[in-house]
Amino acid sequence: MTTSSYLVIGASHRTCAGAVRDRLSTEEAETAGMLERLRAAGLGQALWLSTCDRVEVQAVHDRPNEAALAVAEVMADRVGLSTADLAPQLYTRTGIDAVRHLFAVACSLDSQIVGEPHILGQVKAAHRSAAGAGLTGPELEAVLQAAYAAAKRVRSETPIAEGATSLAAAAIQVARDLHGDIRRCGALLVGLGDMGTLVLEGLREAGLPRLTVAAPVDRRAEAAARRLDGHFAPWAELEAAMAGADILVTAAGLGRYILTAPMMEAVLKRRRRRPVFVVDAAIPADVDPEVAGMDGAFVYDLADLERVALQGRVGREAATQAAWMIVDEAVAAFARDRAERAAVPAVAALRSHFETERGRLLAGHADLDAASATRLLVNRLLHAPSEALRALAADGSGEGLAERASAERLLFRLFGLDRATGPAPGRQDETEPDKDERREPGREVR
């Protein structure tokens, strides 16, 4: 099976509204059910990947376009929309484009924050779930292992991961400058974007004792709070949760402001103007720009944190370009490997045919010397393709001439023939049956 059988279909932060993506996303306990729905839709090799940035299916199928339509129907049913209504918010990749996309996802080149470290682990978790459900096979395993190898190269050969890590470190630095000992602080994570989660994980490692999580979908916030060893706040009580946070990290990216100026004014009043460090880690922004001008609110977006971390854009772009070069090299190598594997059955059949003819010759002509035996074997092997070429030459139609030219080009390529070389003068035409073969008892000449 070649790369033409691979497909990816999904919704990401680039294509799909946040509210729809939230309804489409799944927690770990729901993954098995979605995999069963994919199996029922006719997919034998597929994984369901659900992260803060994307929900997508990576799969292998003999008819990838038909399979993509089946997956779209599963996704539409999940969010309660018609396939036609959801389709404009989905992306579909097939063939080598699907392979490249899968590699880019694993290497964190398709994330909101290039280089963020979570996605590879999320892909591997989705892989394990698919394997547990019996929805992996040799083709899906091959592309995933190749993607993991590419991700390892990107991490070891480029500084791309340093950018995301340094943004989290910059947030810790600002929090300490503003609040002093962050071990006396509490934080609220609003939304579940990967960069926001990364910042909170860094704060946790730096000693942050209290963490609360809120998100537009409460069940997802509860699951994230358990994962981060924090507390859960219902979305309906968001303003009250904000009032108790010294550090507020927004990472929802709903396309509208979650933290508005009037809301922040109410929060600051409840806090008696005690300062709040606000990290807007969402794309698009969650925080109204007017909040930054309010007394007591210290707002930093990702660009601000990048400046604090002294990460120049040129350096980040160079690292990204280097990572893409590794991905493209890995994709090309994978495509070559799959193409070579696809040729194995034909090569094996050809070898088996040659060996059969050799065995028949030895069985019927044990008394021949080496020169006679090899000449007879060559004539036997070349007889059928020679007749086929003659038949193509006899077909004077345009289609026949084109097929003959194509066959000749392939013949010269397969056997490394020199077009300038012709038969030696006076030499027997080796496409004719050998005289020894004509005398072979009980065997018709082909």
Side-chain angles (χ1 to χ4, degrees), residues 10-11 16-26 30 34 37 48 55 71-90 217 219:
C16 185
V20 174
R21 203 166 68 247
D22 278 340
R23 285 152 57 195
L24 186 59
S25 66
T26 57
E30 301 173 287
M34 296 311 301
R37 295 179 69 175
W48 177 274
V55 179
V71 173
E73 292 173 352
V74 170
M75 289 182 166
D77 184 65
R78 166 80 180 171
V79 298
L81 295 174
S82 69
T83 304
D85 288 337
L86 181 62
Q89 299 190 63
L90 300 178
V217 180
R219 61 177 174 79

Side-chain angles (χ1 to χ4, degrees), residues 27-230:
E27 297 302 328
E28 185 177 354
E30 301 173 287
T31 302
M34 296 311 301
L35 290 171
E36 285 305 312
R37 295 179 69 175
L38 293 178
R39 190 199 310 276
L43 279 79
Q45 296 186 56
L47 65 79
W48 177 274
L49 176 65
S50 179
T51 76
C52 299
D53 288 344
R54 76 188 65 252
V55 179
E56 71 181 30
V57 171
Q58 303 170 0
V60 182
H61 198 278
D62 289 339
R63 297 181 297 279
N65 291 325
E66 292 180 21
L69 179 59
V71 173
E73 292 173 352
V74 170
M75 289 182 166
D77 184 65
R78 166 80 180 171
V79 298
L81 295 174
S82 69
T83 304
D85 288 337
L86 181 62
Q89 299 190 63
L90 300 178
Y91 52 85
T92 301
R93 308 279 188 273
T94 58
I96 198 68
D97 290 336
V99 173
R100 190 172 191 264
H101 174 89
L102 195 155
F103 279 42
V105 169
C107 294
S108 188
L109 292 174
D110 195 59
S111 301
Q112 288 194 41
I113 303 300
V114 172
E116 61 87 9
H118 295 102
I119 185 62
L120 182 59
Q122 292 166 331
V123 173
K124 289 183 176 180
H127 183 185
R128 288 193 295 271
S129 295
L135 277 179
T136 56
E139 290 79 22
L140 187 58
E141 285 290 340
V143 75
L144 289 170
Q145 295 302 329
Y148 299 156
K152 183 177 180 180
R153 281 193 61 195
V154 167
R155 294 281 170 179
S156 62
E157 297 177 23
T158 77
I160 194 168
E162 296 174 6
T165 304
S166 65
L167 293 179
I172 296 169
Q173 176 184 328
V174 175
R176 284 175 171 154
D177 290 344
L178 180 63
H179 292 301
D181 187 356
I182 63 175
R183 289 176 294 182
R184 295 195 297 266
C185 295
L188 173 66
L189 174 62
V190 182
L192 303 176
D194 285 336
M195 195 61 219
T197 303
L198 182 66
V199 169
L200 260 302
E201 288 177 347
L203 288 166
R204 278 296 223 184
E205 292 175 2
L208 180 78
R210 302 187 309 278
L211 168 64
T212 303
V213 181
V217 180
D218 285 345
R219 61 177 174 79
R220 296 193 65 206
E222 284 189 273
R226 288 193 298 270
R227 190 167 60 250
L228 295 170
D229 191 25

Side-chain angles (χ1 to χ4, degrees), residues 11-19 21-22 52-54 108-116 164 167 189-197 199 249-258 279-288 300-306 313 316:
S12 76
H13 59 282
R14 293 191 178 91
T15 66
C16 185
R21 203 166 68 247
D22 278 340
C52 299
D53 288 344
R54 76 188 65 252
S108 188
L109 292 174
D110 195 59
S111 301
Q112 288 194 41
I113 303 300
V114 172
E116 61 87 9
L167 293 179
L189 174 62
V190 182
L192 303 176
D194 285 336
M195 195 61 219
T197 303
V199 169
V249 180
T250 67
L254 299 181
R256 58 180 173 80
Y257 296 138
I258 293 175
V279 178
D280 189 349
I283 301 174
D286 285 337
V287 180
D288 185 336
Y300 283 69
D301 62 17
L302 296 176
D304 296 326
L305 292 179
E306 186 174 21
R313 180 169 297 276
R316 287 175 61 84

Side-chain angles (χ1 to χ4, degrees), residues 100 109 153-154 157-158 318-332:
R100 190 172 191 264
L109 292 174
R153 281 193 61 195
V154 167
E157 297 177 23
T158 77
T320 301
Q321 290 175 2
W324 273 114
M325 288 180 64
I326 291 173
V327 166
D328 287 336
E329 289 174 7
V331 169

